[in-house]
Every structure is written in C-alpha cells, then in structure tokens.
Amino acid sequence: MNDFLEFKNVSKRFGTVQAVDNVSFSVKRGEFFSLLGPSGCGKTTLLRLMAGFEQPDNGSILLDGQDITQIPPNQRAVNTVFQNYALFPHLTVRENIAFGLRVARRPRQEIDAAVTEMLKLIQMEDKADQRPNQISGGQKQRVAIVRALINRPRVLLLDEPLAALDLKLRQRMLLELDLIHDQVGITFLYVTHDQGEAMSLSDRIAVMQGGKIEQIGIPAEVYEAPKTSFVASFIGDTNFVDGTVTALPMPNYCRVRVEGLGEILCYNDKQKAVGDRVNLSLRPEKFHVTLEQPQEDARLNVLRGKVENIIYAGNHTRFWVHIGERRIATYHQHRRYHLDEKPIRWEDEVWVWWDADSGYMLDDYAPLLEERGITPPPETIHSANGKEQRI
Amino acid sequence: MKRSRIPLLTTLALLLFFYVPIIVLVIDSFNGSRFAGTWGGFSVKWYAKLLQEREIWQAVRNSMVVAVAATFCSTVIGTCAAFALHSFDTRLQRVHNMLIYTPLVVPEILMGISLLLLFIGLKIPLGLFTVFLAHVTFCISYVAMVVLARLQDFDFTLVEAAQDLGASNWICLRRIVLPLLAPGILAGALLAFTLSLDDFVITFFVAGPGATTLPVLVYSMIKHGATPVINALSTLLLAVTFAVVVIAQRLAQEKHT
Ligand SMILES: Nc1ncnc2c1ncn2[C@@H]1O[C@H](COP(=O)(O)OP(=O)(O)O)[C@@H](O)[C@H]1O
Ligand SMILES: [Mg+2]
C-alpha cells in the first residue's frame, strides 16, 4: 500500500526549544498510527503541524500526494480530538456534533441524519439535548470523537484522548476506539505517552524522544527489537547489559564479556566482530529463575545468583537477582501451580538462564542514556499487559 | 458547638448602613408633606408633579441619549482593547495596559478639567457631544477590564476546535467567541451604562448650557432648595437601575447553564 500521509524532514522550533527535529515518516491509508513518547518530546507539536495550527520551519506535509503545508486549518480534511475535549459549552451535544456540517452549510436533513447516526454509534441518543457540563467524562470523550468524525476527515488526529479518564473508563474507551476505527475506516494518528495504549491499539508505533523519532514499527517490533536503549526502556521494562565481543563460537552468535556478570552468548544480528562493544536489552520475562540447574544446551546462558527481592502478584512473580556485581530484574508468569513445588525465597541461591536468542543488540549504549539526559524509569516496572507497579 | 452571632450582626448593620438612606428616600417620595420630618399621608403627588417638569424630562432624555451612545461605543472599543491586550505581550502592550488602567485611578476632577481644556483647545463646542466623548473615555477602561477578566479564563482551544471543524474566523467569532463572552461583554456594558448615567463630576465640566444631564440637574435643583420631586425622581431611577441589574443577572445565568 502506498503512503497516504507523509511528513518530510519537518522541523519546528519554539524559541530555544527544538520541539520537532527533522522528522520524516509516513502513514498508510486506514492505518492506526501512534506517536508514543514521554511528555515534552514533541508529539502534540507534530499533531498541531498536521492540523495546521502550527507552521513548520522546514519540511513539508503531504496528504494523499498533495502538499498541505500551506493550507489553513479550517480547509484541511483533517479533524482533531483534543486532549481536554474542547466541547463548546454553550451548545448541546447534538449541536456540538453537528457543528462541522453546519459550518459546511450542508442541508438540514443531511445534518440531522448524520448526527443521529453518530449519536447511535456512541449510544448517546438520550443525551442529545444535554450540555457538555451535564454529561460524564467518558461521554464527553465520545462526543469529541464523533464531532471530529462527522466531516469524514481523511485523517483523524487524537491527542492523548484517554489521559483524563480513570483506569476503568480508559480500558473501556480503548476497546471502543478500536471498534470505531474498524467501523469508520479512517486513518488515525494517535498521540499518547502510555505505551500500553499504543501497544494495544496501533497498527504501527513511532517512538519519539527529544523531537526525533527513534523507531517506527509494529508493536511487537518495538517491543522485541528496540533500536535504541531509550526505546527499550520506554516500552516495557528491560535489563541493559553491555560488554565486549570476545569470540564468535558459531555462525550468527557471539560471546560477550560483561563486566561484573561473566561471559554470555548472544545472537549476533548486527554482525559484530571480536573486540566490538555491544549493548544488549534483556527483557525480564525472557529469564528463567529456578532452584534446579537447567539441562545443558549450547545456546543457553546459565548463571548463578542470589535472590535479592521478590514481588508476588498472583499471576506472576518478579525476582530481582544479584549476579556477580549486577542486579537482574526477571518476571515469571505462573502457568501451573504445584502444591509440592519448593518456592523460591529471599536470599536463595538460584539458577538464572535464558536463550541466547532472547537478548537484543541495541544501536547505542546504556551509559549514553545519562549523557543524553535521559533517565530510564527504574522504579516503574511496566509489564506486558500495560499495568504499572511501583517497587 | 455554639455559632457566633457576630457575622450575622455585622452583616445586618452593614445592610442598614447602606440601605437606610435609600429606604428613607423612597418613603419620603410618597410623603404628602413637603417636609421630610413630618408624615403628611401617602401620596403620589410628587410623581404627578415630576411628570409636569419639562426641564427634568429634557435632562432624562439627555442622560439616556448620552448613556446609550457612550455604552455602545465604549463596549465596542473596550472589547477590542481587551482582545488586543490579551493576545499580545509586547512592551507596547504593557504601555497600553497601563493606559487602560489610568482612568480608573486618576481623580475625576482632573479628568474633567483636562477634558475641558482639550475641548476648548480643539474648539469643540461644549454640548451633548462633548459629554458623550468624555463618557466614552472613561467607560472604555471599565469595559476593557471586565472583558479582559473574562478573556483570562477563556479556553482558546475552543477556537482551535472550531477552526479544525472548518469554521472561518468570522464564524468562530460569531458562533463561539462572542456567545461565550456575551455575559462578560454585557456586564461591561451595564457597568458603562450605569457609570455614564450617574456621572456628575466630569459631566459638570464638559456639559454645555443646553446639555444638562440628570445628575447635573439634580445638583442644581438641590442648590435652589431640596424638593420632594427629587425624591420621586431618584426612586424612579432606582427602580430602573434595579430592573436592569436583575435582567442582566438573569441573562448571565441563562448563558452559563
Ligand atoms: N507554543 C509553544 N511555545 C513554546 N514552546 C512550546 C510551544 N509548544 C510546545 N513547546 C515546547 O515544545 C516541546 C514539545 O512540546 P509538545 O509537542 O507539547 O510535547 P508533548 O506533546 O510530547 O508533551 C516542549 O518542550 C514544549 O515546552
Ligand atoms: Mg502533548
């Protein structure tokens, strides 16, 4: 499929802040595309450039092959769902939804029919004549979405649309958004700082940091094959392990000496040579932590360590294991429950083992993180299902 | 727990302090006797007399013409000024801001004299037109301040939302900005109206011989001895002002819910 929406070398500067720094990417027709990144990384600015509220300093924005960079916002076939909803407080729900068509001077019957259809889509026919301050947060959200959809935009822009909702509502709206996207078939450009939202909704994700896009890929790609240490730490939780290649024992694999941990084997997809430095991201759930020694396997890394901390959470347990001079975070999903199984306790000596294929080589080095002023969030553990837990 | 009665008592005392003179005035306007001290029975004869005083009706007409015209002009200009003050933050704007505030703190007598000198200097004949100009001058400041306060908590993403949905600047203004700011603009206009209606000091300086407004007339009447007709006139004025305020509040509340 061809590129429907294209950003070409777009930059935007506010005073001394480079909000968007030479960004290029493209979105396919009908795609659910997310911009994911921490607060202040330039997501909203990108969206505002797309909507036409800001003009780029450099670069151009193409929609279906047409350069729309110079077109004012009220003439772009693009509509926005604002973070704070921005519903018109003096108009009823019905009038809010109808606004786009009223402005476009569509015939009355057409407007009425379209509004009724939208009200049905969000199941709010009974609230049609209420004012925005008489409906709940989730309802406002839904009205904001269909108000933006009624003109059948070519792209729908959503700026953290779920951020203001509580957790339960957020999860329901997540499903609803997915459903609406399937029903209307419009291209969605979705901004969020919540990796769980981005992972569960998106066809593809662009991970942003400091005005730049660090990586674009399908959710599994950015999770399993992060390009940079920032992506690895921002999406999910990970262990950084950096070392030097000491040997190439078999094709596509290398041995890496890791200071304070030992020698480990890893998949050499970057074709590193002996003496090269590498930085690995090892996801917590890739580790096995057992009291028994695992069976010998050439591609298995097996290390010995001491359990330092345990958090039991019903369906899974987290272990922090001290190995050599390092601390490795692991995540163990409970798949079966044996009454007679000897549980792992604090201070136990354990075997920590993982498949050599499970580590992923990053393009940069973890120590660089601090140089770039980024601190990975070590005290926040993101699990794969998007829940957060403070330790 | 025993609640203190002091807040209630002070409130009552304050209300008495404010309203006793007005109540006395209203009662007196229905007093059949010529003298305030003695009750001569209920009567509307002062109102009847009021109707016959041509001079008073001329003054009422003058006051109304000036107030309506000054309110209209100062509301338009003051609202524009508030928008300008709100949207830009340059050094020039800060000067502008200061200039808007000045008329609120400059003593009225000073404004009156300076306007008089200005009009004489420019050879503009004193009359209703100069009164109108003078009133517009100080009313602008009040309107601008009231509207500016409303603008400060106006959510401008609403404007972006409207533009995003295809609205032109004009439609944004007409359908979104003005309806939402209407209570603020109305409040400013009412303030301007009442200020214009009862301004005495400045008007006294710049009014020409044929341009007597109500407050100026009342003053000159009192100089020639207080007459109960003035009480009747004041009572009517009070009723009108009160009605205007009640209507304005109704309107403002309707807009909000
Ligand atoms: N209108 C503006 N004026 C000045 N700085 C701005 C403006 N808009 C955004 N910025 C700055 O640009 C950077 C990116 O902001 P934004 O795009 O809102 O980030 P995000 O939406 O990812 O949190 C921030 O440092 C922010 O302070
Ligand atoms: Mg933002």
Side-chain angles (χ1 to χ4, degrees):
Chain A
M1 225 189 317
N2 58 341
D3 298 330
F4 180 58
L5 166 63
E6 244 183 301
F7 275 68
K8 281 188 176 167
N9 305 101
V10 173
S11 294
K12 179 71 186 177
R13 191 180 189 87
F14 295 109
T16 56
V17 181
Q18 189 71 45
V20 172
D21 191 359
N22 197 19
V23 162
S24 300
F25 67 94
S26 54
V27 181
K28 300 185 182 95
R29 197 189 297 271
E31 196 173 25
F32 198 123
F33 191 93
S34 290
L35 297 168
L36 171 65
S39 165
C41 73
K43 309 179 296 288
T44 298
T45 306
L46 262 185
L47 218 59
R48 291 173 60 80
L49 286 164
M50 179 69 216
F53 299 131
E54 306 283 359
Q55 280 290 309
D57 302 331
N58 280 307
S60 51
I61 302 165
L62 276 69
L63 184 60
D64 212 0
Q66 188 204 354
D67 189 331
I68 60 164
T69 321
Q70 301 302 325
I71 297 180
N74 56 1
Q75 285 161 33
R76 292 194 187 190
V78 165
N79 287 130
T80 309
V81 177
F82 292 84
Q83 181 166 353
N84 64 352
Y85 320 123
L87 296 180
F88 307 125
H90 59 304
L91 302 180
T92 62
V93 165
R94 183 190 297 280
E95 289 165 337
N96 263 283
I97 298 174
F99 192 85
L101 292 177
R102 293 269 301 278
V103 166
R105 298 185 179 283
R106 307 303 306 169
R108 232 210 134 73
Q109 290 101 319
E110 184 191 324
I111 297 178
D112 286 345
V115 172
T116 307
E117 189 193 326
M118 285 300 178
L119 283 167
K120 209 183 283 170
L121 179 70
I122 54 172
Q123 294 167 12
M124 280 182 59
E125 291 106 317
D126 54 327
K127 299 278 197 275
D129 297 314
Q130 313 245 296
R131 292 276 163 84
N133 62 0
Q134 294 169 304
I135 59 178
S136 71
Q139 289 170 335
K140 282 182 201 165
Q141 185 58 74
R142 278 181 235 151
V143 173
I145 291 170
V146 295
R147 181 182 70 174
L149 279 172
I150 202 154
N151 282 20
R152 300 235 132 232
R154 316 199 63 181
V155 183
L156 184 71
L157 310 177
L158 302 105
D159 192 356
E160 314 226 6
L162 308 184
L165 305 178
D166 60 56
L167 186 66
K168 271 258 157 57
L169 206 51
R170 200 150 67 215
Q171 282 165 349
R172 223 181 59 212
M173 284 305 297
L174 217 59
L175 294 174
E176 219 157 300
L177 262 179
D178 211 13
L179 215 67
I180 290 175
H181 178 247
D182 287 347
Q183 282 181 18
V184 298
I186 288 172
T187 309
F188 277 35
L189 187 56
Y190 187 91
V191 158
T192 181
H193 67 265
D194 183 312
Q195 45 119 3
E197 268 174 36
M199 297 282 260
S200 46
L201 288 171
S202 319
D203 295 316
R204 284 192 305 150
I205 299 174
V207 185
M208 289 186 67
Q209 163 63 20
K212 288 196 168 79
I213 291 184
E214 297 246 332
Q215 184 171 5
I216 299 178
I218 62 169
E221 211 173 320
V222 289
Y223 184 77
E224 297 292 356
K227 273 211 176 85
T228 63
S229 42
F230 171 76
V231 175
S233 61
F234 190 74
I235 299 184
D237 188 38
T238 198
N239 297 283
F240 290 115
V241 170
D242 60 323
T244 316
V245 177
T246 54
L248 303 169
M250 49 184 140
N252 289 330
Y253 288 88
C254 60
R255 283 219 154 264
V256 178
R257 247 198 68 74
V258 181
E259 201 72 33
L261 189 76
E263 290 250 322
I264 61 172
L265 185 70
C266 75
Y267 185 70
N268 188 5
D269 78 322
K270 299 260 153 70
Q271 303 303 326
K272 299 279 184 183
V274 173
D276 285 352
R277 278 187 74 196
V278 294
N279 185 24
L280 295 171
S281 157
L282 293 168
R283 297 284 188 197
E285 75 278 6
K286 303 294 192 299
F287 293 97
H288 296 262
V289 178
T290 52
L291 291 170
E292 306 86 41
Q293 186 169 10
Q295 284 188 341
E296 279 289 323
D297 186 326
R299 291 202 324 197
L300 223 50
N301 287 301
V302 182
L303 297 172
R304 195 86 170 125
K306 194 178 195 178
V307 176
E308 203 173 63
N309 206 348
I310 300 174
I311 289 180
Y312 175 79
N315 65 339
H316 71 265
T317 306
R318 297 166 189 285
F319 298 103
W320 282 264
V321 186
H322 214 84
I323 305 173
E325 292 158 21
R326 303 245 177 176
R327 192 174 188 243
I328 299 288
T330 74
Y331 175 102
H332 176 68
Q333 183 71 43
H334 303 156
R335 287 201 188 76
R336 43 183 196 153
Y337 179 61
H338 293 299
L339 273 174
D340 52 352
E341 193 178 275
K342 188 165 176 264
I344 297 170
R345 296 183 194 286
W346 288 47
E347 304 291 322
D348 276 354
E349 294 285 336
V350 288
W351 297 94
V352 176
W353 43 284
W354 71 97
D355 197 287
D357 290 348
S358 292
Y360 193 79
M361 279 188 192
L362 303 169
D363 284 349
D364 61 354
Y365 299 96
L368 288 178
L369 277 179
E370 274 107 62
E371 279 169 37
R372 288 163 60 195
I374 305 158
T375 36
E379 73 273 30
T380 307
I381 305 294
H382 298 275
S383 67
N385 60 11
K387 283 196 190 123
E388 283 186 3
Q389 191 178 344
R390 302 231 151 234
I391 58 168
Chain B
M1 201 174 71
K2 210 176 134 196
R3 272 170 59 190
S4 165
R5 284 171 172 232
I6 290 173
L8 182 71
L9 289 177
T10 37
T11 312
L12 279 178
L14 210 66
L15 284 177
L16 275 179
F17 182 72
F18 278 142
Y19 290 106
V20 160
I22 295 174
I23 293 167
V24 167
L25 182 139
V26 172
I27 293 173
D28 238 16
S29 75
F30 294 105
N31 186 355
S33 159
R34 222 189 134 64
F35 306 101
T38 50
W39 181 248
F42 180 85
S43 152
V44 291
K45 69 177 178 193
W46 305 121
Y47 290 86
K49 203 154 178 224
L50 181 67
L51 281 174
Q52 292 154 11
E53 296 259 5
R54 288 209 41 156
E55 207 186 0
I56 289 180
W57 288 111
Q58 185 58 41
V60 167
R61 224 195 54 142
N62 285 347
S63 273
M64 280 297 168
V65 168
V66 168
V68 168
T71 300
F72 180 77
C73 287
S74 61
T75 301
V76 172
I77 299 172
T79 302
C80 292
F83 269 96
L85 279 173
H86 188 265
S87 13
F88 306 103
D89 186 27
T90 61
R91 196 172 298 164
L92 192 70
Q93 287 308 116
R94 254 163 273 159
V95 174
H96 187 170
N97 212 341
M98 214 183 62
L99 287 178
I100 286 283
Y101 276 92
T102 311
L104 308 186
V105 290
V106 167
E108 270 195 284
I109 195 152
L110 220 117
M111 283 219 15
I113 293 172
S114 56
L115 281 167
L116 178 64
L117 291 177
L118 177 77
F119 292 142
I120 290 172
L122 292 177
K123 299 208 164 50
I124 301 176
L126 296 186
L128 271 193
F129 184 64
T130 50
V131 175
F132 158 77
L133 284 182
H135 284 201
V136 169
T137 325
F138 65 81
C139 285
I140 285 175
S141 297
Y142 288 93
V143 173
M145 290 224 344
V146 172
V147 176
L148 191 60
R150 286 305 182 100
L151 273 177
Q152 242 119 42
D153 38 57
F154 184 78
D155 180 9
F156 276 90
T157 49
L158 294 178
V159 173
E160 287 189 343
Q163 283 178 335
D164 188 70
L165 291 164
S168 60
N169 287 345
W170 166 241
I171 289 187
C172 267
L173 191 70
R174 203 167 57 92
R175 288 271 190 77
I176 307 298
V177 180
L178 287 183
L180 286 173
L181 283 180
I185 295 173
L186 192 71
L190 280 170
L191 189 61
F193 185 78
T194 48
L195 284 171
S196 167
L197 206 59
D198 70 19
D199 178 76
F200 172 72
V201 179
I202 295 174
T203 314
F204 189 70
F205 279 94
V206 298
T212 309
T213 63
L214 211 46
V216 176
L217 180 76
V218 168
Y219 175 73
S220 64
M221 281 166 80
I222 285 175
K223 262 204 316 202
H224 304 123
T227 137
V229 173
I230 292 173
N231 291 344
L233 182 62
S234 307
T235 304
L236 284 182
L237 256 176
L238 198 70
V240 169
T241 317
F242 193 70
V244 168
V245 170
V246 168
I247 291 168
Q249 270 179 351
R250 281 275 161 77
L251 281 175
Q253 272 163 10
E254 249 171 50
K255 285 285 172 199
H256 265 286
T257 47

